[in-house]
């Protein structure tokens, strides 16, 4: 008898459950009227009196332990019940990891917003273009070295305006818009562009641009300058200054390159290579040939155009060190732009 009591003691000690049915099974097995413990007390009457003291003690312990275990487990389950009743359904849900936009998309959207405040709407066009819309209509003479500024990938090449190629700038969308719409025209053209440039073995030939076009009567260079100054201040801060340097593009005359003042305030730093200025875009007055190529009377209308790379703007705005980071899809980089 002593042995079986010890075995039951071990069983009771190790029993654990949070399920009400299992706890009830435990109670029935050991403590109910026909359970093991009352049965043992019944058997106890039969044992010789010299053993009664020893067995009696351990039998009592068994009973106490079983009751304690039962009380403990019942208390636990009812506490859990209370807790689940107290669940606050208004608590915020666990947050989901929703990801973030690519810095190029962020800057693109910001540019679209800034120019929208000046009345510019977004125009888009195909990435696979023809020679006419990318080069010839934009006043790139055939075989002119200006074409070397923007070498591209050809899909079909016969050496005429029907060549099929990847667009090197979104200026092609200017042409497509002017061909089908009469001035006033005030659009910006964000999009992906392609150039055949082997800068380094790992460099990419795909980037993103936002170009702008404003055609109306009496549009002047002063309008261009004011528009770009507004953009620079909105994008880089109120204190930003701009500088225009003469340049050349076949499709604009006069043409300029625009710099913004560097954050180092002209003191000179690594970013501006100790010049105090950072180049950000090309611009100019739309060449009369371009207007005429699109059926717009250049004696009545004039306009300006500008174009910039989104990667470069993002680089300057977010102080990104290496342009390759844009294409590596490294979450550690991308998740910093929330
Ligand atoms: N299309 C030019 C480029 O990609 C940018 C530009 C647009 C310059 C409009 C002047 C006017 O380099």
């Amino acid at each position: 008898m002593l042995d079986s009591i010890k075995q039951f003691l071990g069983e009771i000690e190790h029993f654990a459950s949070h399920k009400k049915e299992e706890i009830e099974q435990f109670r029935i097995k050991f403590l109910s009227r026909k359970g093991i413990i009352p049965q043992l007390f019944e058997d106890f009457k039969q044992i010789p009196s010299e053993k009664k003291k020893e067995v009696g003690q351990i039998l009592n312990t068994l009973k106490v332990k079983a009751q304690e275990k039962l009380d403990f487990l019942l208390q636990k389950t009812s506490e859990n019940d209370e807790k689940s009743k107290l669940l606050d359904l208004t608590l915020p849900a666990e947050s989901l990891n929703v990801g973030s936009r690519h810095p190029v998309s962020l800057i693109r959207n910001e540019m679209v917003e800034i120019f929208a405040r000046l009345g510019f709407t977004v125009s888009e066009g195909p990435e696979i273009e023809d020679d006419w819309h990318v080069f010839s209509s934009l006043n790139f003479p055939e075989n002119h070295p200006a074409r070397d500024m923007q070498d591209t990938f050809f899909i079909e090449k016969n050496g005429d305006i029907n060549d099929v190629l990847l667009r090197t700038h979104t200026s092609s969308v200017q042409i497509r818009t002017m061909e089908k719409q009469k001035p006033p025209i005030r659009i910006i053209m964000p999009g992906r562009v392609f150039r055949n440039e082997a800068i380094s073995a790992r460099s990419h030939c795909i980037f993103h641009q936002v170009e702008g076009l404003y055609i109306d009567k009496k549009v002047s260079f002063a309008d261009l300058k004011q528009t770009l100054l507004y953009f620079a201040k909105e994008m880089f801060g109120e204190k930003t200054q701009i500088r225009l340097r003469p340049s050349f593009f076949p499709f604009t005359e006069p043409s300029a390159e625009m710099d913004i003042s560097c954050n180092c305030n002209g003191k000179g730093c690594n970013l501006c290579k100790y010049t105090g200025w950072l180049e950000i875009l090309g611009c100019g007055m739309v060449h009369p040939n371009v207007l005429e190529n699109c059926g717009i009377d250049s004696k009545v209308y004039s306009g300006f155009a500008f174009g910039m790379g989104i990667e470069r703007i993002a680089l300057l705005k977010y102080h990104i060190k290496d342009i390759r980071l844009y294409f590596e899809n490294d979450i550690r980089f991308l998740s910093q732009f929330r």
Side-chain angles (χ1 to χ4, degrees):
M1 190 167 170
L2 215 49
D3 283 348
S4 54
I5 293 175
K6 280 181 183 157
Q7 201 186 317
F8 289 136
L9 260 175
E11 193 180 325
I12 289 167
E13 199 162 337
H14 288 111
F15 179 75
S17 173
H18 56 274
K19 291 197 185 119
K20 280 190 184 152
E21 310 88 279
E22 286 176 13
I23 296 169
E24 176 61 5
Q25 287 298 319
F26 173 85
R27 188 192 68 77
I28 292 169
K29 180 173 177 186
F30 288 104
L31 293 160
S32 67
R33 221 156 13 102
K34 288 185 179 154
I36 288 169
I37 293 172
Q39 188 58 53
L40 285 170
F41 273 98
E42 206 51 50
D43 300 347
F44 178 70
K45 291 177 189 154
Q46 265 29 226
I47 64 165
S49 48
E50 70 275 12
K51 285 203 166 175
K52 274 215 158 103
K53 195 176 172 216
E54 191 192 357
V55 177
Q57 258 174 5
I58 191 159
L59 191 54
N60 270 322
T61 310
L62 183 71
K63 189 182 174 188
V64 170
K65 291 264 181 216
Q67 191 62 49
E68 276 176 3
K69 182 66 118 191
L70 181 69
D71 293 346
F72 172 76
L73 290 175
L74 287 175
Q75 162 112 12
K76 267 242 136 138
T77 49
S78 72
E79 269 172 20
N80 284 346
D81 281 357
E82 282 306 306
K83 269 192 204 145
S84 61
K85 271 186 218 141
L86 287 173
L87 235 189
D88 184 352
L89 296 175
T90 64
L91 280 175
E94 269 182 48
S95 66
L96 290 170
N97 211 352
V98 285
S100 53
R101 285 202 188 279
H102 194 281
V104 169
S105 300
L106 290 174
I107 292 292
R108 174 201 180 277
N109 294 349
E110 197 172 335
M111 286 171 153
V112 168
E113 273 171 33
I114 292 172
F115 284 108
R117 281 177 233 142
L118 295 174
F120 286 79
T121 54
V122 171
S123 277
E124 284 177 329
E127 291 174 0
I128 300 175
E129 264 291 3
D130 53 37
D131 173 275
W132 171 253
H133 289 96
V134 175
F135 296 121
S136 295
S137 65
L138 284 155
N139 206 32
F140 284 83
E142 222 183 297
N143 300 321
H144 191 279
R147 291 197 180 218
D148 290 346
M149 290 162 72
Q150 300 187 5
D151 190 16
T152 186
F153 301 95
F154 289 86
I155 291 164
E156 238 178 80
K157 190 163 186 174
N158 313 301
D160 59 27
I161 59 166
N162 295 316
D163 282 355
V164 181
L165 42 85
L166 298 182
R167 67 179 179 191
T168 55
H169 50 186
T170 56
S171 303
S172 51
V173 187
Q174 301 184 23
I175 302 300
R176 287 189 177 275
T177 307
M178 287 191 285
E179 279 174 341
K180 57 175 197 268
Q181 192 183 318
K182 291 275 147 263
I185 295 171
R186 199 162 11 176
I187 52 168
I188 55 165
M189 296 137 282
R192 192 155 59 147
V193 298
F194 309 84
R195 291 195 193 176
N196 186 6
E197 286 173 357
I199 305 163
S200 83
R202 286 178 65 201
S203 76
H204 293 264
C205 309
I206 302 174
F207 62 102
H208 299 81
Q209 274 193 330
V210 168
E211 294 209 351
L213 175 73
Y214 180 27
I215 310 281
D216 204 347
K217 289 172 182 157
K218 295 194 182 121
V219 176
S220 75
F221 202 93
D223 297 317
L224 168 61
K225 194 175 170 187
Q226 192 56 36
T227 302
L228 294 180
L229 178 63
Y230 175 80
F231 165 73
K233 284 177 182 288
E234 290 294 296
M235 181 56 88
F236 294 103
E238 186 52 36
K239 290 206 192 87
T240 310
Q241 290 175 297
I242 62 167
R243 174 175 87 166
L244 290 163
R245 286 176 289 107
S247 186
F248 170 78
F249 300 103
F251 35 90
T252 46
E253 183 60 35
S255 303
E257 229 129 340
M258 187 177 101
D259 302 336
I260 55 164
S261 51
C262 183
N263 269 341
C264 69
N265 282 325
K267 278 192 220 105
C269 67
N270 264 338
L271 191 62
C272 64
K273 302 201 179 73
Y274 297 89
T275 63
W277 297 95
L278 301 159
E279 184 186 320
I280 63 161
L281 59 82
C283 60
M285 300 307 291
V286 179
H287 197 292
N289 289 355
V290 175
L291 295 175
E292 298 293 338
N293 282 339
C294 300
I296 293 174
D297 188 343
S298 62
K299 305 231 167 39
V300 180
Y301 292 104
S302 59
F304 64 72
F306 56 86
M308 59 193 127
I310 304 179
E311 278 83 354
R312 174 144 178 88
I313 303 289
L315 192 104
L316 296 174
K317 176 132 177 165
Y318 296 131
H319 303 286
I320 294 165
K321 290 262 160 24
D322 190 332
I323 213 146
R324 286 172 300 199
L325 286 164
Y326 289 130
F327 298 98
E328 284 170 356
N329 275 338
D330 189 327
I331 297 283
R332 289 167 300 177
F333 170 70
L334 295 174
S335 60
Q336 293 175 49
F337 303 91
R338 283 186 196 278

